[in-house]
Amino acid sequence: SQQGEEDPQALSIQEGENATMNCSYKTSINNLQWYRQNSGRGLVHLILIRSNEREKHSGRLRVTLDTSKKSSSLLITASRAADTASYFCATDAISNYQLIWGAGTKLIIKP
Amino acid sequence: SQTIHQWPATLVQPVGSPLSLECTVEGTSNPNLYWYRQAAGRGLQLLFYSIGIDQISSEVPQNLSASRPQDRQFILSSKKLLLSDSGFYLCAWSAGGRASYNSPLHFGNGTRLTVT
C-alpha cells in the first residue's frame, strides 16, 4: 500500500487564492518532501521537512508536518497560473531510505 | 551546477523490440541514481537504484534491467518490450555517500514510452 496519500486528488481555484494540499503517511519517517510536476515533465523538488521540524517556508510555500497525526500540508499563497501542476509528497521511512510516493494532487489555477 | 540529461524524450516501440534509455549527470560525483516509472495520473514506482558503479538494486521484478557503466551514467534496458512497459520513465539523482541522508532527488525530463 502507498505510504503517502495526497488529498484532494484534484483542486481547482481562482488565481490569487490560496491552495492547500494534504499528505498522510503510515510509518515513522526521517523526512517528508514535496515535489511539483508540470504536465509531461520531470519532478522538481520544492521543500524537505525533517521529522523534528513542524513548519517550513520557501517563498509562497508553507509546509507543516504533524508527526503525531502522520500528516503534512502544503500551502501555496497568492496562487498564479504558473502554479498549475501536480504536487506530490514523498516520505523517507526510518526503516529504509527509499522514498515512497503518493499519487499526487492535480492543481489547476484559473485565470 | 549539476544537470541531468535523459533521452530520448519520446519513444514508440513495437512489442518484442529491445529498449535502451540513457541518463547522464553532470557537475557531481558519486551520485545515487534512480529509475522510476509513472503510470498516467499516478505516483512514482521505483524500478532501480544505484549507489555506485556495478551496485544496482532492483525493486520490481520484471523484464527490465539497469546498468551503470560509468559513475554518472545510468541505462535502463529491456531485451523484449511488453505492452505493459508503456509509461513515463524518469531518471533521477541525489547526493551519494554520507550526504545521501535527507538529500532531495533531481529529475530528468522523462521519456514517454509507448509500446504498440
Side-chain angles (χ1 to χ4, degrees):
Chain A
S1 60
Q2 293 204 114
Q3 167 79 317
E5 297 282 348
E6 286 93 344
D7 158 54
Q9 290 186 328
L11 180 61
S12 180
I13 61 173
Q14 291 294 136
E15 193 168 22
E17 295 180 338
N18 296 341
T20 299
M21 289 158 274
N22 303 296
C23 171
S24 59
Y25 57 92
K26 296 175 182 171
T27 64
S28 297
I29 61 172
N30 293 309
N31 63 65
L32 185 145
Q33 303 180 43
W34 284 93
Y35 289 78
R36 183 187 73 228
Q37 184 181 32
N38 290 89
S39 181
R41 305 298 295 270
L43 283 76
V44 175
H45 179 257
L46 296 176
I47 287 185
L48 181 152
I49 186 166
R50 295 182 171 83
S51 59
N52 62 352
E53 297 176 312
R54 292 297 166 258
E55 188 170 310
K56 209 161 182 180
H57 297 255
S58 176
R60 294 183 296 112
L61 306 181
R62 173 178 170 250
V63 168
T64 61
L65 178 65
D66 187 334
T67 53
S68 66
K69 295 181 179 179
K70 292 187 169 59
S71 68
S72 173
S73 67
L74 169 66
L75 168 67
I76 303 175
T77 61
S79 63
R80 305 168 182 170
D83 295 327
T84 294
S86 291
Y87 292 82
F88 295 87
C89 69
T91 50
D92 179 354
I94 285 178
S95 58
N96 68 71
Y97 291 103
Q98 296 309 312
L99 289 180
I100 302 176
W101 300 80
T105 291
K106 187 169 184 178
L107 175 64
I108 296 173
I109 308 299
K110 296 179 286 186
Chain B
S1 64
Q2 302 93 355
T3 56
I4 179 169
H5 302 280
Q6 183 181 346
W7 69 93
T10 60
L11 191 59
V12 179
Q13 292 282 100
V15 169
S17 64
L19 173 73
S20 180
L21 302 181
E22 191 162 340
C23 173
T24 59
V25 180
E26 296 177 357
T28 187
S29 59
N30 193 33
N32 293 335
L33 295 172
Y34 307 82
W35 279 111
Y36 282 93
R37 179 168 59 201
Q38 184 179 31
R42 302 292 299 276
L44 275 66
Q45 178 187 38
L46 180 63
L47 301 176
F48 301 94
Y49 71 94
S50 171
I51 62 172
I53 292 176
D54 296 329
Q55 294 179 282
I56 298 170
S57 297
S58 173
E59 292 296 305
V60 182
Q62 56 205 330
N63 68 321
L64 299 173
S65 62
S67 61
R68 185 171 177 172
Q70 300 180 50
D71 180 47
R72 289 169 290 177
Q73 184 185 26
F74 206 23
I75 297 172
L76 182 69
S77 303
S78 174
K79 292 182 179 178
K80 288 186 178 181
L81 284 168
L82 306 173
L83 284 174
S84 58
D85 291 324
S86 292
F88 191 51
Y89 289 81
L90 289 157
C91 180
W93 73 271
S94 68
R98 297 175 66 183
S100 61
Y101 181 69
N102 281 332
S103 180
L105 294 182
H106 306 275
F107 286 84
N109 282 327
T111 296
R112 175 76 58 193
L113 173 65
T114 303
V115 182
T116 60

